[in-house]
Amino acid sequence: MCIVMMRLNCSPMWSVVSLLTLLLLPLWEMGCSGLSFNSVPLPPVGTYQRSCEGGAHHRQRRSWVWNQFFVLEEYTGDEPLYVGKLHSDVDKGEGQVKYVLNGQGATSIFTIDENTGDIHATKRLDREEQAYYTLRAQARNRENNLPVEPESEFVIKVQDINDNEPKFLNGPYSARVPEMSPVGTSVVTVVATDADDPTYGNSARVIYSILEGQPYFSVEPKTGVVKTALPNMDREARDQYLLVIQAKDMVGQMGGLSGTTSVMVTLTDVNDNPPHFSRKSYQFSMSESLPVASVVAKIKTLDSDVGPNAEMEYRIVDGDGLGLFRITPDRDTQEGLITLQKGLDFETKSSYTLRVEVSNRNIDLRFLSLGPFSDTATVRLIVENVDEPPVFSLPLSKMLISEAAKVGTTIGTVSAHDPDSTNSPIRYSIDRNTDLERFFNIDATTGVISTAKPLDREVNAIHNVTIFAMESCKCSYSCIILITVTDINDNAPVFAIEYETYLCESARPGQVIETISAMDRDEPQSGHRFFFSLTAEAAGNLNFTLRDNKDNTASVLTMRGGFQRHDQTMYRLPVLIMDGGSPALSSTNTLSIRVCDCDPDGAPQSCGSEASMLSAGLSTGALIAILACILTLLVLVLLIVTMRRRKKEPLILDEERDVRENIVRYDDEGGGEEDTEAFDMVALRNLKLVRESGGKTRRDVTPEVPSLFLSSRPPPDNGIFRDFIWDRLKEADVDASAPPYDSLQTYAFEGSGSAAESLSSLDSLSTDSEQNYDYLSDWGPRFKKLADLYAA
């Protein structure tokens, strides 16, 4: 006898399977030992179990054979969902057997009727949360709760429904593809996942389609590979596309769920556009004074590509300025920069024409069929004239002038020309900063340099003078003139040093007591040659003689012996020295010879007046004592004078003597224009006095000179002003502490007198003319008292 447990579903497919199962029941009745029907390969069906007893063969009893139970997920009915039924062959329907359920979800999700064995699901299940539950079933005796069957395990599998839409977990996407790519070039692969069961039905079978982005792109339905759909997509026309990709389950059939994602496709650049100039000809102007390496022109080149595909190369292919100009690309803007390689000269050439070529640095061979990736243009460069300063024929000139040259002697001529085509006249001048003493003059029109003062080679042998050349536009240029003053024999020879000659009392006749030499400030080209002799007055003396050594030295010798200090302590010997110049110059130099007491080796011990004092009986110790007494007296006198001065001066200055805070008042009315005591008017009026003093008189000291202008007032002479300004200018030029030479010099010089005469009445009594003061009465009552005084 077999006990059958069955679960039926209302699905038509399941009904057919259930009918097939009932037809197979007779096979179990034939007594196949252990035969069980597994519902795994069939649609969900309950479990069938058979236990055979008796028959031709004895079989071991099998109690429970379990298969899977199936329950539909997301059930939303009001009643618990029936899952299946458990039944044991021990159960005779008398109520002695109860069924117990244990395992995952027992009592919480799944319940069993202990009397009938019916299993129900009390909650809505989600396969995506848990796909199956493992439970254990057991039949027990109701009275003693002892198992009547061994515990067996079975599985309740949650059957999937299409309740999850496809999702793009990695979206949205961004992709890049080169422009001009052929049709079918892969761009990106999109992937959508479906949480439904992929092993059952079509709930997880996804199909891809493109919603937005046609006709430029397409997508493979099964793989999700996005590809280009149009050829020759141009980045320069459009560089970005937004695609919307849809993924739909149930193999794209109606009723399936779907999800979407976006793909931002960017076209990357390729070198498919040749460069070209915006114009076929350009014209630029440039100044001829531009320094070398200056940028004279910038040429803009058009190229729709970007990045490395837009990098340019330039070159000058033809023209008349191939060696004068160079063109290179600007790294940032890719413009063509034309730079100057040599200096320009408007007078030599006023314009240049160049033919320049531009090409891409990186060429894509795939697009050479679109045309040559280069272009040419003509560039005309106009040189603008600049008024250039004059140019000297020689920037450094050397001239010679004898120091014997008279004032006004021509030294040489400098020459400069205007490099401009206008050929403006040139005027010359001397930079007085290089000729402070004004030794030289230059003719402003001819450039002839002449002497303005006598020259002395011994004072300054070389003059470094700067000459300015200036044209009408005030443009100036300078050159340097080295004027070398040549020597003449204008200095007589003298002793080379100041000789101190000593003569021992024990000197013998013919003994050399001094060797003298000479020096001459002149520098003859052939060298110095001196001749020594005694003067005519000294030639016949009996004490000394002179011997010329013929080597620019001379020796002084004694003619006798027995010199005594008591007789004469000093001898003076006049020596005549003559040079070898033409004409020869000579001078008389006196050699002083002192008679001394010498030791046996000839070294002088005592000479002159000191020796006389010693001979009078004063020893050296006595002389030292006398000197010490004199020094002591001097120190005492100085101390007394110092103490008296300190007593007279107060230690602290009182407020009246503090000159830093004193306000000095003078109740003195000035004398107007004739008040010459306030400052030194003589220094302004008497120019001759200023010249004689050399401009060294202090302006803040009033010289005691009586006023020279009391009554006579001649009209001012313009010559006085001119001489005054000239002297002050010269004084400022040679004064190293004066302000800069371009500063404003102001001189408070009023001239010789006022044309309005003096308004003072102090000298009115000295005049013989009668004056009428009746007009004072007409001035009003305030002047009545004054009118009465003068009327009297």
Side-chain angles (χ1 to χ4, degrees), residues 114-395:
E114 63 178 13
N115 295 322
T116 64
D118 292 333
I119 301 174
H120 292 81
T122 60
K123 294 182 178 180
R124 186 175 64 178
L125 303 179
D126 188 358
R127 190 200 66 83
E128 285 69 41
E129 293 183 2
Q130 188 165 346
Y132 61 90
Y133 297 85
T134 302
L135 295 98
R136 296 182 302 276
Q138 191 176 35
R140 291 178 179 271
N141 189 304
R142 188 179 295 277
E143 293 180 359
N144 54 22
N145 201 30
L146 294 176
V148 297
E149 295 285 351
E151 187 179 51
S152 295
E153 187 177 78
F154 67 97
V155 174
I156 298 177
K157 186 174 182 180
V158 182
Q159 187 172 352
D160 183 51
I161 66 171
N162 190 17
D163 60 341
N164 291 279
E165 73 277 2
K167 295 182 179 180
F168 294 92
L169 301 180
N170 297 325
Y173 296 85
S174 61
R176 300 167 67 87
V177 64
E179 63 173 332
M180 311 300 289
S181 296
V183 175
T185 302
S186 178
V187 179
V188 67
T189 300
V190 296
V191 178
T193 59
D194 196 320
D196 293 326
D197 189 358
T199 63
Y200 177 75
N202 296 323
S203 299
R205 295 182 63 184
V206 178
I207 295 296
Y208 299 95
S209 62
I210 183 168
L211 300 182
E212 294 183 16
Q214 300 97 341
Y216 307 103
F217 298 92
S218 63
V219 62
E220 286 287 340
K222 294 182 179 181
T223 61
V225 177
V226 179
K227 299 180 179 180
T228 58
L230 286 180
N232 302 328
M233 285 191 293
D234 192 0
R235 183 200 66 84
E236 288 71 35
R238 182 179 177 183
D239 61 346
Q240 284 190 335
Y241 297 84
L242 180 62
L243 312 182
V244 178
I245 307 297
Q246 182 189 64
K248 190 174 184 180
D249 58 14
M250 298 300 290
V251 201
Q253 297 176 1
M254 292 183 63
L257 302 178
S258 64
T260 60
T261 188
S262 63
V263 180
M264 179 60 72
V265 180
T266 302
L267 296 183
T268 59
D269 185 62
V270 297
N271 192 8
D272 60 336
N273 293 278
H276 63 278
F277 291 106
S278 59
R279 291 182 293 175
K280 285 300 181 182
S281 62
Y282 298 86
Q283 181 169 317
F284 301 95
S285 299
M286 54 187 176
S287 174
E288 68 171 327
S289 61
L290 283 177
V292 175
S294 298
V295 176
V296 299
K298 293 183 179 181
I299 304 176
K300 182 66 176 178
T301 307
L302 303 179
D303 192 335
S304 301
D305 298 322
V306 294
N309 297 320
E311 292 181 356
M312 307 293 178
E313 287 185 345
Y314 295 88
R315 66 189 186 98
I316 301 175
V317 296
D318 196 7
D320 52 1
L322 294 179
L324 190 61
F325 301 97
R326 178 187 178 190
I327 184 169
T328 56
D330 186 277
R331 291 184 178 182
D332 298 327
T333 63
Q334 295 302 315
E335 292 177 306
L337 306 180
I338 300 178
T339 55
L340 187 64
Q341 301 297 303
K342 297 179 181 179
L344 298 172
D345 187 6
F346 173 82
E347 287 71 28
T348 303
K349 190 172 179 61
S350 60
S351 66
Y352 297 88
T353 301
L354 308 175
R355 191 163 67 91
V356 298
E357 180 185 66
V358 62
S359 60
N360 278 139
R361 181 173 297 174
N362 304 307
I363 303 295
D364 195 332
L365 300 179
R366 296 177 300 171
F367 304 103
L368 287 179
S369 60
L370 299 178
F373 279 74
S374 63
D375 194 14
T376 59
T378 302
V379 180
R380 180 176 174 82
L381 301 174
I382 306 298
V383 182
E384 294 180 346
N385 187 26
V386 174
D387 200 352
E388 300 175 81
V391 177
F392 282 94
S393 56
L394 292 175

Side-chain angles (χ1 to χ4, degrees), residues 366-606:
R366 296 177 300 171
F367 304 103
L368 287 179
S369 60
L370 299 178
F373 279 74
S374 63
D375 194 14
T376 59
T378 302
V379 180
R380 180 176 174 82
L381 301 174
I382 306 298
V383 182
E384 294 180 346
N385 187 26
V386 174
D387 200 352
E388 300 175 81
V391 177
F392 282 94
S393 56
L394 292 175
L396 177 63
S397 300
K398 296 182 179 180
M399 300 179 181
L400 298 176
I401 183 68
S402 173
E403 63 177 329
K406 297 180 179 180
V407 174
T409 302
T410 299
I411 303 173
T413 304
V414 293
S415 176
H417 68 281
D418 185 5
D420 298 319
S421 57
T422 56
N423 196 18
S424 302
I426 307 298
R427 295 187 62 83
Y428 303 93
S429 62
I430 295 177
D431 182 4
R432 291 305 176 183
N433 293 329
T434 60
D435 184 26
L436 297 177
E437 297 295 328
R438 297 179 180 269
F439 285 109
F440 308 99
N441 287 330
I442 186 170
D443 190 284
T445 57
T446 62
V448 175
I449 302 174
S450 59
T451 58
K453 286 183 178 181
L455 302 176
D456 189 354
R457 188 204 64 84
E458 286 71 37
V459 176
N460 193 353
I462 297 177
H463 297 266
N464 190 339
V465 181
T466 300
I467 306 297
F468 287 129
M470 182 179 298
E471 54 178 297
S472 58
C473 69
K474 305 303 181 183
C475 298
S476 63
Y477 193 70
S478 62
C479 73
I480 297 176
I481 306 298
L482 296 179
I483 301 176
T484 302
V485 181
T486 59
D487 185 48
I488 62 172
N489 192 23
D490 58 345
N491 292 277
V494 295
F495 279 152
I497 60 174
E498 193 72 25
Y499 291 98
E500 293 183 3
T501 303
Y502 300 96
L503 174 64
C504 294
E505 292 179 323
S506 60
R508 300 182 303 277
Q511 181 179 344
V512 177
I513 60 175
E514 187 68 81
T515 299
I516 58 177
S517 61
M519 61 167 291
D520 194 335
R521 296 178 62 188
D522 297 321
E523 292 185 359
Q525 296 181 354
S526 58
H528 290 289
R529 178 68 180 95
F530 301 120
F531 303 93
F532 300 88
S533 63
L534 296 178
T535 59
E537 295 82 3
N541 77 91
L542 301 177
N543 297 318
F544 305 98
T545 186
L546 187 69
R547 182 181 64 199
D548 193 339
N549 297 327
K550 308 299 182 181
D551 58 355
N552 291 338
T553 64
S555 299
V556 179
L557 295 87
T558 57
M559 295 183 64
R560 66 179 181 87
F563 292 94
Q564 297 294 327
R565 288 172 293 170
H566 302 289
D567 299 336
Q568 188 172 348
T569 60
M570 180 77 68
Y571 293 90
R572 300 187 183 277
L573 183 66
V575 178
L576 179 65
I577 306 176
M578 181 180 296
D579 60 19
S582 179
L585 297 180
S586 62
S587 66
T588 299
N589 300 263
T590 301
L591 180 66
S592 298
I593 303 174
R594 300 179 64 183
V595 181
C596 302
D597 181 20
C598 301
D599 58 12
D601 296 330
Q605 296 294 321
S606 57

Side-chain angles (χ1 to χ4, degrees), residues 773-781 783 787:
Y773 298 99
D774 295 339
Y775 60 87
L776 294 177
S777 301
D778 300 334
W779 287 5
F783 294 90

